[in-house]
Amino acid sequence: MTDERVLVALRQHGGAASSAVLVDASSRHALRVALREGAIRQDGRGRYSLPVAEDGRAAANRMTGVASHLTAAAHWGWSMKTAPARPMITVPRNRNVPPADQKASQISWRTLPPDDVVDGCVTGPVQTVLDCAVMLPFDEALAVADSALRSGTVTRTELEDAAAAMSRGGPAARRVAREASQEAANPFESVLRAIALGVTGLRVRPQVEIEGDGFFARVDLGDEEPRIALEADSFESHGARRQLAVDAKRYDEIVIQDWLLHRFAWEHVMFEQPWVTRMLEGLVQVRKSRPAKRRRISVKRAQAA
């Protein structure tokens, strides 16, 4: 029987993860069992994912449709905030879809231009990002767009040009294209950034570097002007006792550089977003009441490729 810890670890990593992550969360035996039972699939050496793409292609083929949105994102190997509970399929307008298929899949009725479909079964990379931007909440769409850029399957220019040409859904698509970044390490960071971008007075960017007084650190998210840093803390990165000591020292050094640092767990970002927003608003207010001191400290942001 599949160990639920394997599936939970995969979901926390957006539906795709390395064998090291899954073994750390469960065991090598649990990983082998999950693979044998078909609960997960192997995409390459040491890489595993949920079988979202395979299920979606089968559903699309059955309905003579096209795998789209998050199902297409899974096909392209991108990470997501959460894998879709049902395959997301696009069928031509006026297509009659049996009630059973409508219940089993999430259907969109739309006639896609041939250039937006690859191999007759899945939306192309750029179209997939735009579809997610239009249909999904901002945090989910940003996670997809970040992953698409990170994979190299989509370029920023392609995404921005395509979004600029859109009318229906254009504002949402252009916002995602504008904010997307290949610097985000995973969906956890992407979702935290999406929340932060909705907070007035806070403009975070991924992988900000902090230097000063012989010190150097890179934080998951940072806003250089108010000197606010955010960390998306995952257990596998910080769970060992030795790593805890290293991280505690690093965090203390960052605070000494006169940065306000706040750490969030995966559960906070995914399931307690109103609370996360309140914490971020509080950070902005604290900084307004206690402005950062401009000492001999230099800050630079990692250059986006």
Side-chain angles (χ1 to χ4, degrees):
M1 187 174 182
T2 298
D3 190 326
E4 185 66 20
R5 292 176 299 174
V6 177
L7 303 182
V8 169
L10 268 175
R11 295 188 191 107
Q12 290 186 353
H13 285 77
S18 67
S19 56
V21 167
L22 300 182
V23 169
D24 185 62
S26 55
S27 67
R28 292 192 181 278
H29 174 70
L31 178 59
R32 289 194 295 269
V33 170
L35 184 62
R36 185 174 65 243
E37 293 186 347
I40 65 175
R41 69 174 189 176
Q42 185 170 10
D43 296 323
R45 184 178 177 83
R47 298 296 305 177
Y48 298 86
S49 67
L50 296 170
V52 175
E54 293 178 357
D55 294 344
R57 285 193 297 270
N61 184 55
R62 184 174 63 252
M63 289 179 273
T64 319
V66 174
S68 60
H69 300 86
L70 291 179
T71 298
H75 169 88
W76 296 114
W78 304 337
S79 298
M80 300 166 278
K81 177 187 176 184
T82 54
R86 299 177 294 163
M88 302 180 77
I89 309 298
T90 294
V91 299
R93 296 183 186 279
N94 302 319
R95 170 68 55 80
N96 182 28
V97 179
D101 283 332
Q102 292 189 42
K103 184 177 181 179
S105 300
Q106 188 170 347
I107 309 296
S108 295
W109 279 267
R110 179 173 45 132
T111 300
L112 293 166
D115 290 345
D116 292 340
V117 179
V118 175
D119 296 332
C121 66
V122 61
T123 51
V126 173
Q127 186 62 46
T128 298
V129 175
L130 297 179
D131 285 346
C132 290
V134 172
M135 182 175 182
L136 302 177
F138 178 62
D139 61 340
E140 294 187 46
L142 187 64
V144 169
D146 285 352
S147 184
L149 292 180
R150 192 165 57 242
S151 71
T153 315
V154 174
T155 68
R156 175 174 295 281
T157 299
E158 289 174 332
L159 192 56
E160 290 181 337
D161 288 349
M166 294 178 62
S167 53
R168 180 178 176 273
R174 286 188 282 275
R175 183 189 183 197
V176 169
R178 181 176 63 250
E179 302 294 355
S181 172
Q182 68 182 40
E183 297 294 332
N186 51 53
F188 182 8
E189 290 185 18
S190 297
V191 174
L192 178 56
R193 188 167 96 258
I195 300 171
L197 288 172
V199 174
T200 302
L202 192 58
R203 185 68 186 174
V204 297
R205 298 181 182 277
Q207 302 304 309
V208 169
E209 296 178 354
I210 302 174
E211 291 182 328
D213 300 335
F215 172 76
F216 172 84
R218 179 181 287 108
V219 293
D220 295 334
L221 298 169
D223 186 341
E224 295 96 328
E225 181 59 31
R227 297 195 178 205
I228 291 177
L230 310 178
E231 288 281 90
D233 280 353
S234 57
F235 180 79
E236 62 269 8
S237 298
H238 307 276
R241 181 70 192 181
R242 182 176 180 181
Q243 187 61 46
L244 175 63
V246 171
D247 292 335
K249 183 177 181 180
R250 172 175 169 269
Y251 294 145
D252 290 344
E253 292 275 7
I254 291 173
V255 172
I256 290 299
Q257 300 301 316
D258 205 20
W259 279 69
L260 288 178
L261 174 69
H262 218 72
R263 303 163 62 187
F264 294 97
W266 183 84
E267 290 80 1
H268 299 149
V269 172
M270 298 299 172
F271 306 120
E272 299 182 42
Q273 292 193 2
W275 177 81
V276 173
T277 297
R278 290 199 303 274
M279 294 302 100
L280 297 180
E281 291 172 342
L283 280 176
V284 172
Q285 292 305 313
V286 168
R287 183 48 91 197
K288 284 182 177 180
S289 65
R290 193 174 66 211
K293 299 176 183 178
R294 297 303 172 189
R295 300 179 297 174
R296 294 178 299 167
I297 300 172
S298 62
V299 180
K300 65 179 182 178
R301 179 168 57 86
Q303 295 297 316

